[in-house]
Amino acid sequence: MAEGEIFGLVGPNGAGKTTTIECVEGLRRPSSGRVKLLGMDPRAERRVVAERIGVQLQESALPPRLRVEEALALFGSFYQRSVNIDDLLNLMALSEKRDSAFAKLSGGQKQRLFIALALVNGPEMVFFDELTTGLDPQARRSMWDVVRSIRDGGRTVVLTTHYMEEAEQLCDRVMIVDRGRIVALDTPEALISSLNVEKRIVFRLPEGQGVGSLAGLPAVSKIEQGDEHVVIYGYGDHFAGSVVNALEDTGVSFTDLRTEQPNLEDVFLALTGREMRD
């Protein structure tokens, strides 16, 4: 993890993401190996490390009647140094909720409060474990902006998520883990390009019409034709153009054509498989 980056940790359910993060934070003893955080052993030097990091756990809760400002003041009292509560409330857009009980907050407001609690000691590193799970798309995008602002403020952010779009949009680097092992580590862009994942073209055909001789195009690797859509897979910079030209040359009538670029989800599935996991 480099200073001033958003580092993502992704993997299937049960891959070991939360266990890894808890070992790094010093909340769990590793079964083997050594862990160093900010140059220290996070368990042997727990008190010192705790002053320099912020943590938002995957499952968090507060007493229902505890008010927002009271929660921040309480958590701030746990540290030798704490930041200004008003600044945190403004940063998290919670100023109008400072006197509200925890039970009265919306899901997004509760998550913003947990972020504020993770920042109350002015940490150098912040750990977010499944930060946006359960949030609606609007609240999730709002959380993304908050995470970026934390990184842009000079902090290092470590983020675990099972949303591949979230990792692709937010993270400077991503580590993919599966069954307790690291299977890939790089920038999202490099991971996508390094695996040479297929590009896709999707379109509709009139009922009963086929795609002609597209399978013979050098850039085309696979064709899937369903009841409503045709999906063509292929590689190369000229893949889309060659397919469209071939469709027009052979007089195939198509509608609703769109291209789909490879993304981090494609990389994730290629490395971890598609089987159902608990």
Side-chain angles (χ1 to χ4, degrees):
M1 304 166 193
E3 183 177 353
E5 73 171 352
I6 300 176
F7 185 88
L9 181 62
V10 303
N13 290 336
K17 301 186 298 296
T18 295
T19 298
T20 299
I21 288 297
E22 290 180 351
C23 288
V24 173
E25 294 164 345
L27 300 178
R28 182 191 294 259
R29 186 183 301 278
S31 57
S32 62
R34 297 168 58 193
V35 177
K36 287 288 186 180
L37 179 62
L38 300 172
M40 296 175 283
D41 182 323
R43 285 188 65 83
E45 301 174 86
R46 176 66 187 150
R47 289 182 178 273
V48 179
V49 169
E51 291 287 338
R52 299 175 61 183
I53 68 171
V55 176
Q56 172 265 329
L57 300 173
Q58 185 177 117
E59 296 182 7
S60 303
L62 291 171
R65 296 183 180 180
L66 186 67
R67 297 182 180 184
V68 169
E69 186 173 10
E70 292 173 338
L72 290 168
L74 174 63
F75 275 64
S77 69
F78 299 156
Y79 299 97
Q80 297 179 13
R81 178 177 67 92
S82 60
V83 302
N84 184 275
I85 290 178
D86 290 331
D87 292 341
L88 276 180
L89 290 170
N90 289 332
L91 177 65
M92 295 296 117
L94 288 172
S95 295
E96 296 182 359
K97 297 293 181 178
R98 66 189 309 148
D99 294 322
S100 298
F102 177 75
K104 298 294 185 180
L105 301 178
S106 68
Q109 290 166 348
K110 288 177 180 177
Q111 286 294 69
R112 295 204 300 275
L113 175 56
F114 290 133
I115 293 177
L117 294 176
L119 299 176
V120 74
N121 59 323
E124 301 169 41
M125 294 186 67
V126 190
F127 294 84
F128 295 134
D129 194 1
E130 303 289 359
L131 178 66
T132 62
T133 297
L135 298 184
D136 61 56
Q138 184 181 34
R140 183 174 298 125
R141 298 283 176 149
S142 177
M143 287 296 105
W144 293 1
D145 291 337
V146 171
V147 172
R148 290 189 186 102
S149 69
I150 293 170
R151 186 269 314 276
D152 294 343
R155 296 182 178 93
T156 299
V157 178
V158 181
L159 174 75
T160 73
T161 179
H162 62 268
Y163 296 117
M164 293 304 104
E165 181 190 10
E166 181 166 278
E168 187 172 344
Q169 291 289 327
L170 278 182
C171 297
D172 300 297
R173 289 192 300 153
V174 174
M175 182 169 73
I176 301 177
V177 298
D178 190 24
R179 305 184 195 278
R181 296 179 179 273
I182 299 172
V183 296
L185 171 60
D186 213 325
T187 66
E189 296 81 6
L191 288 173
I192 293 168
S193 61
S194 66
L195 288 183
N196 198 24
V197 180
E198 295 168 311
K199 301 176 182 178
R200 297 181 293 271
I201 294 178
V202 183
F203 55 88
R204 292 177 181 268
L205 286 178
E207 186 175 351
Q209 186 171 10
V211 294
S213 59
L214 289 181
L217 292 176
V220 173
S221 60
K222 181 174 61 175
I223 298 176
E224 294 178 352
Q225 185 165 357
D227 294 335
E228 296 186 357
H229 291 92
V230 175
V231 183
I232 300 179
Y233 299 82
Y235 299 90
D237 295 335
H238 304 293
F239 164 65
S242 66
V243 170
V244 172
N245 289 337
L247 289 172
E248 293 177 340
D249 290 343
T250 55
V252 175
S253 177
F254 59 89
T255 59
D256 300 333
L257 184 144
R258 68 179 186 274
T259 61
E260 296 181 351
Q261 296 297 319
N263 54 35
L264 195 60
E265 183 170 332
D266 294 309
V267 177
F268 179 83
L269 292 174
L271 291 173
T272 64
R274 296 172 180 265
E275 72 270 21
M276 189 73 71
R277 303 196 190 177
D278 296 324

